[in-house]
Every structure is written in structure tokens, then in C-alpha cells.
Amino acid sequence: MKNTRRNFLKVAGITALGVAAGAGKAAASYLPHYDHMTPSPEARTAKRWGMVIDTRKFHSADDYKPLIEACHSYHNVPEFDGPQEIKWMWLESFHHTFPNSHAEYLSEDVEHRPFPLLCNHCEEPPCVRVCPTQATFKREEDGIVMMDMHRCIGCRFCMAGCPYGSRSFNFQDPRKGLKKENPEYPTRTKGVVEKCDFCVERLAQGKMPACVEAAEGKILFGDLEDKNSEVRRALAENYTIRRKPDLGTSPSVFYII
């Protein structure tokens, strides 16, 4: 059934009233697609999860392939032949990754180095503010920006609000784009948005994110609020940059260049 603009506004209006009437923090606790996930005694916790990517240790796009494959295969990210692209992690050039960088005489090595992109799990996420159904929300306990696909109505406001292009919309059934399905992670449906979730389900099992595990030490992951954590030590010892920090979103992903 094709939704007209009038029907969409009606649904959005009803949803907004429902949220205002008492949905409150329901999105933070109602995640049916994570019902299979029970935190283990070994669960990893943090006040604010952050990632530090040492791009000096990656020399070509091929070096990132195992990371992207680990992420996409674990999370059932589909692949289609054609214009539609669903991506949780992907590569871009320096100038596309850091368009606001004003380095006039950039080294050739850095300028031509590929950079991995993913959701930045911002401390001030604009996507959360514009979502009318609380399908996108930030976890209070650790700062991870989450997606509840069951609440998503496909309005794509979050895609418009995200300044990093970190979200993808399923214009067609994503299950048709899976070469092999991972039964440990739920598949999605047509008409919803999806993105990186910092492997929150793996953290609950005491594991590291799939890309971090595949990086074998080239990507660090830890608590940005803990000054003794590995990520904080890496930030103190190296020059790092973030994507579009001038927007005031305070991204949680840092790049050592």
C-alpha cells in the first residue's frame, strides 16, 4: 500500500501523541529484536563507549575488508546489485571523511589513505532529537545510540538529521540480499533504517565489537570516561581527529592519523 503525504502525517501525528502521552523511556527498554540477548556475568560496561582507529596501521582498502566483512556478515547487512547500498562500515577518502579539515599541505600518504566510516555514537546525537517515535535513542548507561527497528516508521528524519551519512534505508526486503544468514542476529524488514550499534549485543556477552576483534589491535575500544582505559591512553599519546567536531555533536569515534 502506498502512503500518501496526508496518511503519513496522520500516522506521524498519532505516533507523536502516543509518545507525548507517556511513551517516555519505553524505547530504551522495549527492544524486541534483542529479546535473544541476555547479558552475561562477563558483560562489558562503560560510562561512554568510544573507538580509536589507528589509520597508520592500514595501508590500503584491502586491509579494511576483513573488518567490514566481519561487521556486515555478523549483523546480516545485505548486499544488492544496483544503486541501493546498506552499510554499517564503509571507506572514504580523507577529504570526504574530514571535509572541514583545513590542512593546507597535507601529506600525500594521509591524503590518499582510505578511512573507515561508521556511526559516531555522538554524545549529542541530532538523529535522536528528530526521531518522532523514539526508534532512535541514546542509552543512558553507556552512550550508545541505538535503533529499535520495530518502532521505526521509515520516515527517514534520522537520516536527514545525521550529518555523517551513517544510516541506510531498506527500500527493498533486506533478507533478499543475504548470501548467508547469521542466526545470532535478527534480520530486518523493508521500510526501516539501520546502522552500526557498536555491537551492543556482543558487549553484553563480554565480547568486543566485530570490527575491533577483526582489527587485531589496530582499533581500540573502551570507556572514554575512564582516564586509565586503553582508548584514553591512546588519545593522550597520539594526535587524533574526529569527523565534523565543529557541529557540536561530540563524536565518540577518533582517528589517529
Side-chain angles (χ1 to χ4, degrees), residues 53 87 126 211:
I53 304 173
K87 56 187 186 300
C211 64

Side-chain angles (χ1 to χ4, degrees), residues 27-216:
S29 58
Y30 179 66
L31 284 171
H33 61 296
Y34 286 125
D35 281 350
H36 69 291
M37 182 185 75
T38 302
S40 70
E42 295 79 26
R44 295 177 181 271
T45 60
K47 292 182 179 179
R48 182 189 174 193
W49 286 112
M51 179 178 288
V52 178
I53 304 173
D54 192 344
T55 66
R56 301 170 302 182
K57 298 180 179 179
F58 296 92
H59 306 291
S60 69
D62 288 340
D63 292 341
Y64 287 106
K65 282 184 179 180
L67 283 63
I68 297 174
E69 174 61 26
C71 170
H72 286 194
S73 61
Y74 184 88
H75 296 102
N76 291 317
V77 177
E79 293 183 18
F80 295 104
D81 294 328
Q84 181 181 359
E85 182 180 20
I86 307 298
K87 56 187 186 300
W88 285 35
M89 176 178 278
W90 70 105
L91 301 179
E92 278 289 358
S93 66
F94 178 89
H95 294 293
H96 280 95
T97 304
F98 310 106
N100 297 347
S101 175
H102 303 295
E104 186 174 358
Y105 301 108
L106 191 65
S107 74
E108 186 173 340
D109 171 61
V110 173
E111 186 171 15
H112 296 291
R113 188 185 300 168
F115 290 84
L117 277 62
L118 64 157
C119 175
N120 283 274
H121 295 276
C122 304
E123 189 172 12
E124 299 293 338
C127 57
V128 172
R129 294 197 298 270
V130 300
C131 178
T133 66
Q134 291 187 310
T136 290
F137 61 96
K138 177 185 170 186
R139 298 211 313 183
E140 294 184 359
E141 62 267 33
D142 57 18
I144 294 179
V145 178
M146 297 284 291
M147 274 288 305
D148 186 338
M149 282 76 164
H150 290 264
R151 285 179 173 270
C152 180
I153 59 174
C155 67
R156 289 178 279 171
F157 287 179
C158 62
M159 295 180 70
C162 175
Y164 304 103
S166 298
R167 293 166 173 266
S168 302
F169 182 74
N170 287 289
F171 285 96
Q172 54 185 307
D173 185 353
R175 298 184 180 98
K176 295 180 179 179
L178 297 179
K179 297 178 181 178
K180 182 180 180 181
E181 182 178 332
N182 175 20
E184 295 183 14
Y185 195 87
T187 57
R188 277 74 73 191
T189 60
K190 177 181 177 180
V192 300
V193 176
E194 59 180 272
K195 70 170 191 69
C196 158
D197 60 7
F198 262 177
C199 284
V200 63
E201 73 292 335
R202 290 176 59 89
L203 295 175
Q205 299 167 6
K207 301 176 182 178
M208 279 291 192
C211 64
V212 175
E213 188 176 276
E216 298 180 339

